[in-house]
Amino acid sequence: ELFKDQPIEAAAGLLPLYELLQLNPVFTSVIVESLTTEGGPSSSGPTNRPPMIFSFVSLASYLFTHASSVGTPRSLSYANLTMRIIALMTSDEPMTAKFARESGNIRICRQRLPRLPESPTSRPILCSILDCLVLWLRHNLHKKLEVSSYRSCIYSVHSILWMLGRQRIRLEYHWEELWKSIFLLLEFTSSRVDNVKVLGRVDELIEETLIALELATLLAERLVPTPEALHQFVYELVRSKDIVDRQLSTLTALEVMIPSPSTQPRGVPLTIQAQALRAIKTIQGIITYYEGKINEKGTEMEIGDVMNVIATEVERDGLQTAPDREPEGPTRRLDSSSEGFVKWACRDGLALLSSA
């Protein structure tokens, strides 16, 4: 009830922001330049005004936290548009790399449980963007799943992982929160197949999530900042074995045509269905390897003992993943339409004019 009228009408400014990002490449460079000219960490100018991106990311965290709990068409439309803006930003590699290298103090919503871990006052902008994506993944798992926004969220995750891997940037981030949230999404869809199958394109959401998760396994050693973070990633994979094992049957229940590897012509790009199948096998292979090593030490083990086994194996041989696989960037094309949001922007714009 407290948030039923949120966001305020001034949030209609998100629409021109989206249109400018989509249509004007100069605007993208202006956003990047603003990080050093509007009071950003590298600024030498007289103003203390924070860059626009700080306010935008903070707003996004509140929109994503409360979108489904408010549940109005207006709040969901604002959240959907905001997610598309983030997807546009993260699809631009130079911009995303800049966000990974520039730091600042961005206020992130902490109004719903479970809260994100406490973070340093100043940290890379990209960490705050990842926090927004985690908040969306966590707090919007409802019967009427916003499939489009979830697909844009996973697209952003994939783009960020891809950029960090290519640029070899080890981001100081609480990565385990992202891994847990991705598995939470996969668990939700696989346990509610009858409910979600009527929504449309949920099969593509699952496939794209699996492909992004596979990318994380291929790039993990380049992404995470410490050996402990890598050990934690492997632990999250192993403890999510049942969720991963259910994905093939989930896709089958959604009437996805699962291709046979033997029928794939050489030299022809894999379909998204074939990529998802390959992702399942890659992830299952990693889980099976480390599960076997753990079981060799005994079946009744505390979490600390399991982590010690994983740490020993990873530190000796590295992460056991597909050695002959080259990581791939996202292949999905972003939906460029803002038609569903325009009426809300117009109404809020008129409300602003009438109150001026």
Side-chain angles (χ1 to χ4, degrees):
E1 185 68 21
L2 179 64
F3 301 101
K4 66 182 179 65
D5 295 324
Q6 297 299 317
I8 62 174
E9 288 88 351
L14 290 170
L15 181 59
L17 174 61
Y18 175 72
E19 299 288 352
L20 284 166
L21 278 169
Q22 185 180 36
L23 302 174
N24 192 339
V26 174
F27 187 68
T28 300
S29 64
V30 170
I31 291 178
V32 173
E33 290 170 6
S34 73
L35 297 176
T36 54
T37 59
E38 291 189 3
S42 305
S43 174
S44 58
T47 178
N48 291 320
R49 181 178 62 187
M52 176 278 294
I53 190 65
F54 286 29
S55 300
F56 167 75
V57 173
S58 181
L59 172 62
S61 74
Y62 285 85
L63 289 175
F64 293 168
T65 298
H66 296 292
S68 293
S69 59
V70 175
T72 64
R74 178 176 177 271
S75 66
L76 291 171
S77 292
Y78 269 103
N80 190 357
L81 184 71
T82 303
M83 188 63 77
R84 292 189 184 193
I85 292 172
I86 289 180
L88 279 173
M89 288 180 171
T90 55
S91 68
D92 186 286
E93 186 171 329
M95 176 184 282
T96 311
K98 185 73 169 178
F99 291 162
R101 294 186 172 103
E102 293 287 350
S103 298
N105 183 10
I106 299 177
R107 182 176 179 178
I108 296 296
C109 181
R110 299 177 57 80
Q111 294 174 332
R112 290 185 67 182
L113 298 175
R115 294 189 179 96
L116 290 165
E118 294 288 348
S119 301
T121 302
S122 182
R123 59 179 181 152
I125 298 167
L126 193 59
C127 291
S128 297
I129 292 176
L130 281 168
D131 276 352
C132 291
L133 300 178
V134 169
L135 289 171
W136 176 266
L137 289 168
R138 281 183 178 179
H139 296 306
N140 296 281
L141 293 172
H142 295 278
K143 184 176 180 180
K144 293 183 179 180
L145 191 71
E146 293 293 317
V147 175
S148 176
S149 292
Y150 266 94
R151 291 185 69 205
S152 294
C153 180
I154 293 299
Y155 175 92
S156 295
V157 169
H158 194 137
S159 297
I160 290 170
L161 296 177
W162 171 244
M163 182 283 298
L164 292 173
R166 279 171 54 85
Q167 301 284 337
R168 295 189 176 273
I169 299 174
R170 295 185 182 274
L171 195 67
E172 289 278 352
Y173 182 66
H174 33 257
W175 286 103
E176 69 276 10
E177 303 299 328
L178 177 61
W179 313 138
K180 291 176 182 177
S181 299
I182 290 174
F183 283 120
L184 188 65
L185 170 61
L186 291 173
E187 196 280 331
F188 178 88
T189 53
S190 63
S191 62
R192 294 167 175 80
V193 176
D194 291 338
N195 291 333
V196 300
K197 69 188 304 182
V198 300
L199 298 176
R201 311 195 80 168
V202 72
D203 55 325
E204 295 177 34
L205 168 61
I206 295 171
E207 290 160 351
E208 290 160 2
T209 303
L210 289 167
I211 293 167
L213 186 59
E214 182 197 31
L215 179 69
T217 68
L218 299 175
L219 295 176
E221 291 180 292
R222 306 184 204 173
L223 301 175
V224 297
T226 64
E228 291 75 18
L230 184 58
H231 306 159
Q232 183 68 38
F233 176 51
V234 175
Y235 175 73
E236 295 299 334
L237 289 172
V238 173
R239 73 193 292 261
S240 303
K241 177 182 185 299
D242 290 343
I243 297 174
V244 175
D245 288 345
R246 292 204 301 267
Q247 297 312 305
L248 187 57
S249 60
T250 300
L251 292 174
T252 302
L254 293 170
E255 301 179 358
V256 174
M257 296 295 294
I258 304 297
S260 170
S262 61
T263 62
Q264 182 68 33
R266 289 183 177 273
V268 176
L270 293 178
T271 63
I272 186 172
Q273 294 81 11
Q275 292 179 54
L277 179 61
R278 182 179 63 182
I280 292 173
K281 292 181 176 179
T282 299
I283 298 166
Q284 285 178 328
I286 297 171
I287 293 172
T288 299
Y289 178 84
Y290 289 103
E291 187 180 49
K293 296 297 183 181
I294 293 167
N295 290 338
E296 288 176 4
K297 303 297 182 181
T299 56
E300 300 295 330
M301 300 179 68
E302 300 292 333
I303 292 177
D305 298 324
V306 172
M307 290 295 292
N308 287 337
V309 174
I310 291 172
T312 299
E313 293 296 324
V314 172
E315 289 175 12
R316 185 182 64 225
D317 301 322
L319 180 60
Q320 294 296 313
T321 185
D324 57 342
R325 284 287 316 286
E326 284 295 324
E328 299 174 10
T331 56
R332 176 195 166 201
R333 294 185 63 184
L334 288 173
D335 181 5
S336 60
S337 172
S338 58
E339 181 178 352
F341 177 79
V342 169
K343 70 174 183 179
W344 300 110
C346 292
R347 289 179 182 179
D348 289 344
L350 289 172
L352 287 171
L353 290 173
S354 64
S355 62

